[in-house]
Amino acid sequence: IPARYGSSRLSGKPLRMLAGHPLIEHVYRRASEATQLDKIVVLTDDDRISDAVRGFGGLAELTPVDCASGTDRIAWAARDWPSDAAVINIQGDEPLIEAAAIDRIAAHLRREPGDALVTLATEAGEDDARNPDVVKVVLDRWGYALYFSRSPVPYVRNAAEATTWRHVGIYGYQMSALLRLAELEPSPLERSESLEQLRALENGIAIRVMIVDQASAGVDTMEDLHRVESLLRKGGSATSE
């Protein structure tokens, strides 16, 4: 679980209180419900976050401040992990992440070692296509990603010819793919769209996309925080709106 203190839209986000507990604790405890993980660790650039994680009994490790992305942060720590391991990047701002989604990726990585990188998608809602904060993904016939974009793709010239898929931001990596990806320079499309998964596609690393029924509600803004807190108090629905 990569978690940095500085966030452009919500500073100190991992430590923001949510239903009486820091955001990062909700993520950690949701991940702990998964049955297919051997180890859960928060990778952070800040002592305050690591102290909070250890305070509720979690495992945390400090990583360099200059890690450019969550993938880079995980790859830095993974240098000391077993070379045959598979790694899942669970976003530190997903307090309603479903354990079943995590387990599905873990099981696939074990079953299909030839799939270097695995992620999830769900059918996009009516307002998703034109929302640049919602990442869309176009798939081939075998379930691999052709492209990710903040723009409405595919363009609907003929209605009902293709499904618009919404990317769900959780990634599973075979170790070799994770380390290779972290060594690559940011790519032109990645910089243009500000989507690091495009670095993989531009360098020939295939991304397997599995379809799920719904996406969990993440936290990027204070409004998101209030909305997720309301969901938690009503019973913790994982559905984003």
Side-chain angles (χ1 to χ4, degrees):
I1 307 174
R4 65 188 182 95
Y5 190 84
S7 171
S8 58
R9 287 189 283 182
L10 191 59
S11 181
K13 181 165 57 174
L15 299 183
R16 296 278 182 166
M17 298 305 288
L18 184 63
H21 300 273
L23 173 63
I24 192 65
E25 182 175 353
H26 288 278
V27 180
Y28 195 99
R29 294 197 184 284
R30 286 275 182 159
S32 298
E33 294 174 3
T35 62
Q36 298 292 316
L37 301 180
D38 299 313
K39 177 181 179 180
I40 302 168
V41 58
V42 173
L43 303 175
T44 183
D45 60 352
D46 195 281
D47 285 318
R48 290 166 290 187
I49 296 174
S50 62
D51 289 345
V53 172
R54 292 171 184 139
F56 62 72
L59 182 64
E61 182 177 341
L62 285 171
T63 55
V65 175
D66 60 357
C67 288
S69 68
T71 301
D72 294 325
R73 198 172 300 284
I74 294 172
W76 188 91
R79 298 174 305 172
D80 298 325
W81 298 348
S83 61
D84 61 347
V87 181
I88 299 178
N89 178 349
I90 301 169
Q91 304 291 328
D93 56 6
E94 293 278 350
L96 298 178
I97 185 70
E98 289 280 357
I102 299 170
D103 280 338
R104 186 172 177 189
I105 289 179
H108 186 90
L109 289 167
R110 285 194 174 99
R111 185 174 62 250
E112 301 291 345
D115 277 351
L117 207 165
V118 183
T119 191
L120 303 176
T122 190
E123 190 165 352
E126 292 183 4
D127 298 328
D128 290 340
R130 291 175 177 80
N131 184 351
D133 292 329
V134 174
V135 178
K136 277 68 68 175
V137 56
V138 179
L139 308 180
D140 69 14
R141 293 186 176 186
W142 297 273
Y144 291 90
L146 290 170
Y147 191 65
F148 294 84
S149 182
R150 298 183 183 278
S151 295
V153 292
Y155 175 76
V156 182
R157 184 167 186 174
N158 299 305
E161 287 297 317
T163 301
T164 299
W165 297 109
R166 169 181 177 159
H167 180 224
V168 179
I170 180 172
Y171 300 94
Y173 308 88
Q174 304 295 351
M175 182 64 77
S176 58
L178 170 65
L179 298 180
R180 180 189 170 199
L181 192 60
E183 291 175 353
L184 295 170
E185 293 293 326
S187 62
L189 290 174
E190 173 189 3
R191 290 194 297 267
S192 178
E193 295 255 18
S194 190
L195 295 174
E196 65 175 311
Q197 61 267 45
L198 292 175
R199 186 190 313 179
L201 294 185
E202 285 189 84
N203 285 279
I205 301 175
I207 302 177
R208 178 74 162 85
V209 182
M210 296 186 293
I211 303 302
V212 293
D213 292 335
Q214 60 191 17
S216 60
V219 175
D220 289 316
T221 66
M222 186 60 72
E223 290 76 16
D224 292 338
L225 194 71
H226 294 322
R227 178 167 55 90
V228 171
E229 182 159 33
S230 177
L231 289 172
L232 282 169
R233 294 192 184 281
K234 290 177 181 177
S237 170
T239 305
S240 61
E241 299 174 344

